[in-house]
Every structure is written in C-alpha cells, then in structure tokens.
C-alpha cells in the first residue's frame, strides 16, 4: 500500500510516516497543501492522510481538487476540528473518512488499511498461486507450507506479483507500489530485491522474467 501523509506539524507527520512504514507501507510526506496537490497529480496513492489546516493550500481545497480528478485514492481527513459541521463539510468535499486529533495510533492504522482495501477490486486477504501463500493481514508468507523469512520489500514484491494473477508486472509498477518517492527511478532496487527473493523462494524458480517488460508468477 502506498500512502501520502500531509500535515504541517512536521514531527507528527514524520511520526505517522515512520509508524506506517513499520506496517510495510510505502509512505511519502508533504507539509504544505500545494505540495500535496502536486504529488497527488502525478502519483497513484492508495490513501492520503490529510490535515485540514495547511499552508500553501487549505486541506479542504486539496480534497476538492483531488475529488475532481476522479481517482481511486481514498482520503482520511485528520484534523483538530471536531464539530459535526466540520466533519460533514470535510466529507462533502471528498474525504472518505474522518479522524479527530488527538487520536489513538492503532485506530489510524486500522482506518488507513480499511480505506486502502477500497482502492482495488476486492481480493481475499490470503493470496495463493503456484504453492506460494501470502497472508496480507498477518504479513507472512509460505511456499509449499514452508515459512519464508522475507523482508518487508521482498514480501511487498511477492504480494504485488500474486495480486497480478499471472499478469506481467513492470519494474516501474513495483517501484511505485512497494517503494516511496525517495527511491531513485534508475535504481537497481527491484532487480536486487527480486534476486534475494528468488533465493529465498528456492527451486524451481516461480518468478518469470520477461525481458523488456517485467516479472510474472
């Protein structure tokens, strides 16, 4: 899951981002509304955690402009405003959920995950193909019943391949869905991670490399 966290309280934004990253999410951060609007225009996010009172462009305007684009990205409005009219106004502008500050972190994670599930066609939480099984909720994987000791990136790559259901997945799509915007687009991260993943999966190699196109299970 790829998430954009937008809050002008830099310490809070960075804290949320680090916490979500520990949940195996790829997280980008913006501290201004205009910066968030620019990122939303060029990147495909599953969820945006959006503060309302932002410099540069108000969070309400960010939500409104995002809704006009008609993308599947879901918005979790995160703000200190707690009145009913505030919540209704935020939802009317295009927010999908609303969480008031201060909040309990487990609830934030649960709401982000719930919204993320709404950005794609419904799939079973347990994915399986060619003897490979990934439990998306428990964040564990096995092959033919054998537990796999995978890093978060290796698990993310495997999950994307399983969700593709045999479709060829370009390296660019893996970068977009498993890494964040700080990754160099010319990096060898996908190739290196794929090599390590293949070693852990063992033989026969279940991953097919299609030259010039990408990877598939």
């Amino acid at each position: 899951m790829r998430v954009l966290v937008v809050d002008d309280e830099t310490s809070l934004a960075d804290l949320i981002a680090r916490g979500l990253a520990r949940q195996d999410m790829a997280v980008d951060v913006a501290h201004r509304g205009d910066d968030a609007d620019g990122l939303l225009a060029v990147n495909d996010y599953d969820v945006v955690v959006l503060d309302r009172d932002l410099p540069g462009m108000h969070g309400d305007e960010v939500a409104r402009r995002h809704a006009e684009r008609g993308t599947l990205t879901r918005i979790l409005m995160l703000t200190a405003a707690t009145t009913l009219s505030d919540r209704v106004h935020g939802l009317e502008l295009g927010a999908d959920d609303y969480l008031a500050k201060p909040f309990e972190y487990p609830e934030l994670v649960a709401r982000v995950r719930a919204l993320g599930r709404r950005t794609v066609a419904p799939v079973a939480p347990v994915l399986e193909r060619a003897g490979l099984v990934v439990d998306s909720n428990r964040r564990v994987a096995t092959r033919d019943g054998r537990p796999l000791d995978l890093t978060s990136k290796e698990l993310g790559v495997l999950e994307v391949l399983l969700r593709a259901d045999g479709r060829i997945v370009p390296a660019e799509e893996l970068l977009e869905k498993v890494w964040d915007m700080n990754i160099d687009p010319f990096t060898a991260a996908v190739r290196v991670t794929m090599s390590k993943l293949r070693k852990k999966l063992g033989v026969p190699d279940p991953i097919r490399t299609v030259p010039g196109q990408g990877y598939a299970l």
Side-chain angles (χ1 to χ4, degrees), residues 116-139:
R117 288 193 292 269
R118 292 165 54 186
T119 64
V120 295
V123 294
V126 177
L127 307 169
E128 184 173 2
R129 187 182 180 91
L132 292 166
V133 178
V134 168
D135 187 322
S136 299
N137 290 335
R138 296 171 55 217
R139 309 303 298 163

Side-chain angles (χ1 to χ4, degrees), residues 108-181:
L108 172 67
V109 173
R111 287 176 181 264
V112 169
R113 287 201 179 281
L115 289 174
R117 288 193 292 269
R118 292 165 54 186
T119 64
V120 295
V123 294
V126 177
L127 307 169
E128 184 173 2
R129 187 182 180 91
L132 292 166
V133 178
V134 168
D135 187 322
S136 299
N137 290 335
R138 296 171 55 217
R139 309 303 298 163
V140 296
T142 62
R143 181 177 190 186
D144 298 326
R146 172 176 59 89
L148 298 171
D149 183 17
L150 305 181
T151 66
S152 62
K153 296 304 183 188
E154 292 163 357
L155 185 62
V157 167
L158 183 58
E159 184 174 357
V160 171
L161 292 176
L162 282 167
R163 289 187 184 278
D165 196 26
R167 174 179 62 85
I168 298 173
V169 181
E172 293 81 7
E173 182 176 339
L174 289 171
L175 275 176
E176 180 177 290
K177 292 184 175 179
V178 182
W179 282 264
D180 59 36
M181 68 179 182

Side-chain angles (χ1 to χ4, degrees), residues 16-217:
I16 293 173
R18 288 196 300 271
L20 294 178
R22 286 196 293 269
Q23 299 294 322
D24 297 333
M25 302 181 195
V27 187
D28 296 336
V29 176
H31 302 301
R32 294 174 54 88
D34 48 349
D35 291 339
D37 184 62
L39 289 172
L40 286 167
V42 299
N43 295 314
D44 291 326
Y45 293 101
D46 295 294
V47 179
V48 180
V49 179
L50 179 66
D51 186 33
R52 288 189 77 179
D53 296 319
L54 295 169
M57 181 185 295
H58 196 276
D60 288 355
E61 178 66 9
V62 175
R64 186 191 66 77
R65 290 167 61 91
H66 167 73
E68 289 180 347
R69 295 188 184 104
T71 70
L72 292 176
T73 304
R74 304 301 181 181
I75 294 179
L76 172 59
M77 195 76 85
L78 184 64
T79 176
T82 58
T83 67
L84 177 60
S85 61
D86 286 328
R87 294 196 297 271
V88 170
H89 184 58
L91 294 171
E92 288 177 342
L93 286 169
D96 299 279
D97 198 0
Y98 206 104
L99 186 60
K101 299 177 182 178
F103 57 87
E104 295 292 334
Y105 185 72
E107 182 179 6
L108 172 67
V109 173
R111 287 176 181 264
V112 169
R113 287 201 179 281
L115 289 174
R117 288 193 292 269
R118 292 165 54 186
T119 64
V120 295
V123 294
V126 177
L127 307 169
E128 184 173 2
R129 187 182 180 91
L132 292 166
V133 178
V134 168
D135 187 322
S136 299
N137 290 335
R138 296 171 55 217
R139 309 303 298 163
V140 296
T142 62
R143 181 177 190 186
D144 298 326
R146 172 176 59 89
L148 298 171
D149 183 17
L150 305 181
T151 66
S152 62
K153 296 304 183 188
E154 292 163 357
L155 185 62
V157 167
L158 183 58
E159 184 174 357
V160 171
L161 292 176
L162 282 167
R163 289 187 184 278
D165 196 26
R167 174 179 62 85
I168 298 173
V169 181
E172 293 81 7
E173 182 176 339
L174 289 171
L175 275 176
E176 180 177 290
K177 292 184 175 179
V178 182
W179 282 264
D180 59 36
M181 68 179 182
N182 294 315
I183 193 71
D184 183 346
F186 301 104
T187 182
V190 171
R191 179 173 53 80
V192 172
T193 300
M194 193 68 70
S195 176
K196 293 179 179 179
L197 174 60
R198 280 173 153 149
K199 289 180 181 178
K200 292 181 179 181
L201 295 179
V203 293
D205 185 358
I207 301 175
R208 179 166 57 99
T209 299
V210 183
Q213 298 184 54
Y215 306 90
L217 284 175

